[in-house]
Amino acid sequence: MKNIYKILLSVAVVITAIDISSAQTYSIIPNDTINMTGIMEDMETLSIQQLNISNGILTLAWQKVSENIPLNWETNVCDNVICYASLINGGTMNPVSPGDYGFLLVHVTPHVNYGTGTIRYAVWDVAFPLIKDTLTYILTVNAPTGVIQDKNITQLSLYPNPADESISFYN
């Protein structure tokens, strides 16, 4: 009797594992992390897409995991429904047809502040809420380094100065 119990338990574990592994209904494009270098005052768009690889309609939900943003950076999040005014805590996308994309993107404007910002959101198929992916958006804006002077500057002389009809260059 004990052996039959072990066999049934093993079969149940295998069936559960097969159900969980076949439950992934989307793939992440390009991958789960996007890392960019930005420029002060430029708005950067960091986008990660979710391709519906199932045969049915897919509804994706998302929730903020964390944010670490330098002071005075403007940030907001968009999904395939709407762009929000800030990094809101979560939402649900419009349904995604087979072969189509959902997306979760982050807009960041660093203004005149440099640093590195990291934003993480979890995304999942509402039909399989225990299988979540964490999307990571990283933007780095470097501090200005000043003006680099060229040591091979050629000096030119113009004459006559002032000129009437023509000038000559002398190197």
Side-chain angles (χ1 to χ4, degrees), residues 19 38 48 54 64 69 71 89 111 114 130 139 148 162 167:
D19 282 344
I48 300 175
S54 74
K64 183 168 51 173
I69 303 297
L71 189 63
N89 287 330
H111 296 293
Y114 62 90
L130 298 178
L139 179 66
I148 300 172
I167 58 171

Side-chain angles (χ1 to χ4, degrees), residues 70-91:
L71 189 63
N72 296 323
W73 282 22
E74 275 186 59
T75 55
N76 71 313
V77 64
C78 304
D79 64 17
N80 69 346
V81 177
I82 193 168
C83 283
Y84 301 91
S86 64
L87 295 176
I88 67 167
N89 287 330

Side-chain angles (χ1 to χ4, degrees), residues 51-54 56 96-101:
L51 172 64
N52 182 352
I53 58 174
S54 74
V96 180
S97 298
D100 282 342
Y101 293 90

